[in-house]
Amino acid sequence: MALNDFFRINLPYGIEKNDKGEWLAFNREFVPIGWNEKHTGQSISAEDSYAELPIRTKYKNATEKILKQLIDETSAEEYDAQGNIKRIFLYEDGTNPVNYNTKENWDTYLKKIKILSQLNNYD
């Protein structure tokens, strides 16, 4: 099913880290933001997914402390075998800012986007 609105295509549903410490922002289709369908059949969870594209980034300040600021009752997270944060969902179905268009849902989501915007890549 292809996505059909700006929010679900272009704004992050979540972020995921691979074993190399590189992060990928993904949309509601679990593909890189900006894509509106799963035409390649790749899974973002596969270690080498989208390896041919420059869509993963290492952030020098993506510490557990910073990442935990993204986790609250409106989100969900997954951990790797070592207990490190591997994936963070920025909202859940019940707190989706578009589906449940409240000031609180938007403020919570945009606060997380602001935190993510502070991450800096390695040069």
Side-chain angles (χ1 to χ4, degrees), residues 20-95:
K20 298 174 190 171
E22 301 165 326
W23 289 92
L24 164 76
F26 59 91
N27 66 24
R28 285 295 292 205
E29 281 288 312
F30 290 81
V31 294
I33 56 175
W35 293 23
N36 65 1
E37 61 181 56
K38 295 181 181 181
H39 71 278
T40 65
Q42 295 185 56
S43 166
I44 61 168
S45 297
E47 193 55 38
D48 62 347
S49 66
Y50 305 101
E52 72 282 4
L53 301 173
I55 57 173
R56 292 186 180 268
T57 305
K58 283 190 176 184
Y59 295 105
K60 57 186 168 188
N61 58 333
T63 63
E64 291 282 311
K65 180 179 178 182
I66 295 290
L67 296 172
K68 286 183 180 185
Q69 293 178 33
L70 302 170
I71 300 168
D72 60 20
E73 67 280 353
T74 69
S75 62
E77 70 278 357
E78 296 176 5
Y79 297 88
D80 62 20
Q82 293 75 39
N84 299 311
I85 297 171
K86 177 183 174 151
R87 184 184 291 169
I88 299 173
F89 297 92
L90 302 177
Y91 58 90
E92 295 179 334
D93 289 341
T95 59

Side-chain angles (χ1 to χ4, degrees), residues 58-63 66 69-70 110-121:
K58 283 190 176 184
Y59 295 105
K60 57 186 168 188
N61 58 333
T63 63
I66 295 290
Q69 293 178 33
L70 302 170
L110 293 174
K111 177 182 171 189
K112 294 174 186 182
I113 296 299
K114 185 176 179 180
I115 292 166
L116 288 171
S117 73
Q118 303 302 311
L119 298 179
N120 297 304
N121 72 327

